[in-house]
Amino acid sequence: MNLDEKALSLEDKARQFSVQNRFEDFLENENQASKPWVIELDPTTACNLACHGCISASLLNQGGFKRDRIKELAKEFFEIGVKAVVLIGGGEPMAHPEFGTLVDYFYKNDIHVGVTSNGTLIDKYLNSLAYHTKWVRISVDAGSEDVFQQYRPHASGKSQFKKVIDGMKKLSKSRTTKLGFSFLVLEKLESDKNRDEKGKNYVQTNATDIYKAAKLAKEIGCDYFEVKPSFDPFHFLNETSSIMSQIIKEELKKSNHLIDDKFKIISPYTLSRTLEGEKNQLKEYSRCLTAEMRTVVSPSGVYVCPYHRGNKNLQIGDANIENFKEIWHGQTRKEIMKKLDPRKHCQFHCISHNTNLLLEKIASGEKLEKLEDYDRFM
């Protein structure tokens, strides 16, 4: 397995020396008190785009962390021993006025930073993104302005496609960070109604732009191009018609020749699952050990994991008014973690499923080879 493949495998990341040591410390702790290794942080719910099929639509534009509080929160992450932070949303993380301050603070304190963004504000934080993050992944979902405008419209009505691509080109020119181009495959539901009028093989989708987008990603100078399936608001894979599946497969096949030593085309395992029509992922374990290592902090609350962002039944605290260490070691979290049962609460496809299986082996006493540290984003 090469470094690029290892970077995609969350399970292998959990095999790393430092990650296993942190997990073993948790197992050996008499009070079963863990320390979070990775935090997904939503600085704000504000977003300047109105993307089709946005999984966070119900959570958008409901405020963000106050400027002073988010800087305090960053220090609390450092104090409790967090090793990596993903700035994500929710909304658009760069829309928070302290975004640059956060990135620079984490960098200076050896907390690795990853950023998922719509790319409209790259210019504002170019230097911090280029040199103080480990990776930046821009969600574009198109290879042309027409398709971008259909699926990622701006509130003003003016297309942001050129601005995003120009920003990515600037970022690509001089950087130490890894740059990715993300393509979420989408289908407009009204296309089913139009099928009778336009023919049985008609489908309205951005998937027809996959090859164009992959080619554009390589021209920009991205390290990789990622194709992902879409999910419903409850994180279950959306059904993919046979027509859609065929389009995706043909576009990916057409794109294969673009791959070389400097440019990869990747996809999560969920893409193959959705192409095969698989909707559920059943679990046999009754606890989520990954949630002892990773959590999500947003303006609406702190939750056991990103899949349950906004789920008040699995909210462990409120970082607007509570110290993060107190939330993590507090009674509410203890009660929620006892209640959390992936067999009931997590029948969707979870990217941490294989990690959980691995951590269960370690928890049972099985000794695994410890890999040299290479990526903190487990």
Side-chain angles (χ1 to χ4, degrees), residues 50-53 141-142 144-154 159 186 188 190 202-206 208-209:
C51 302
H52 174 79
D141 307 342
S144 61
E145 186 158 23
D146 287 347
V147 172
F148 185 90
Q149 185 64 355
Q150 285 181 53
Y151 290 88
R152 301 184 72 79
H154 189 262
S159 172
L186 298 163
K188 291 199 173 181
E190 58 265 29
Y202 175 77
V203 61
Q204 190 173 355
T205 175
N206 65 341
T208 52
D209 244 24

Side-chain angles (χ1 to χ4, degrees), residues 43 78 108 153 170 207 243 245 255 257 262 322 341 345:
F78 171 73
K108 289 173 184 175
K170 290 177 185 176
I243 303 169
S245 295
S255 305
H257 75 92
K262 294 183 178 180
E322 298 174 87
D341 185 344
H345 300 125

Side-chain angles (χ1 to χ4, degrees), residues 305-348:
C305 83
Y307 291 101
H308 291 290
R309 181 190 273 111
N311 182 352
K312 295 299 179 183
N313 292 320
L314 295 175
Q315 181 178 343
I316 62 175
D318 182 352
N320 291 288
I321 56 175
E322 298 174 87
N323 177 281
F324 182 74
K325 187 175 182 179
E326 293 173 0
I327 292 173
W328 191 258
H329 296 305
Q331 188 61 32
T332 298
R333 180 174 179 274
K334 289 177 182 176
E335 292 172 0
I336 293 289
M337 290 299 289
K338 285 180 182 177
K339 180 172 75 171
L340 177 63
D341 185 344
R343 296 172 301 180
K344 296 187 295 185
H345 300 125
C346 312
Q347 294 183 13
F348 42 70

Side-chain angles (χ1 to χ4, degrees), residues 175-200:
R175 59 187 167 95
T176 55
T177 194
K178 179 172 281 191
L179 178 61
F181 186 122
S182 180
F183 192 108
L184 183 69
V185 178
L186 298 163
E187 178 180 356
K188 291 199 173 181
L189 296 177
E190 58 265 29
S191 66
D192 287 336
K193 299 175 184 177
N194 294 334
R195 203 165 286 162
D196 292 336
E197 179 184 328
K198 298 188 179 183
K200 64 180 182 179

Side-chain angles (χ1 to χ4, degrees), residues 205-274:
T205 175
N206 65 341
T208 52
D209 244 24
I210 289 175
Y211 173 68
K212 285 182 185 176
K215 189 169 179 288
L216 178 59
K218 186 168 185 176
E219 291 170 357
I220 289 169
C222 294
D223 296 289
Y224 67 90
F225 173 72
E226 181 181 32
V227 181
K228 303 185 294 185
S230 62
F231 295 80
D232 69 20
F234 302 100
H235 296 282
F236 288 91
L237 285 165
N238 283 322
E239 291 185 15
T240 304
S241 66
S242 58
I243 303 169
M244 272 279 288
S245 295
Q246 188 61 32
I247 292 171
I248 294 167
K249 290 173 183 176
E250 288 176 357
E251 289 286 310
L252 286 173
K253 185 177 180 181
K254 196 192 306 184
S255 305
N256 280 340
H257 75 92
L258 298 170
I259 299 172
D260 57 31
D261 290 342
K262 294 183 178 180
F263 181 73
K264 306 299 177 189
I265 295 178
I266 63 176
S267 60
Y269 79 95
T270 45
L271 183 65
S272 61
R273 295 294 186 272
T274 193

Side-chain angles (χ1 to χ4, degrees), residues 289-304:
L289 291 174
T290 299
E292 299 289 356
M293 304 286 286
R294 183 170 183 143
T295 195
V296 61
V297 177
S298 79
S300 68
V302 184
Y303 303 93
V304 289

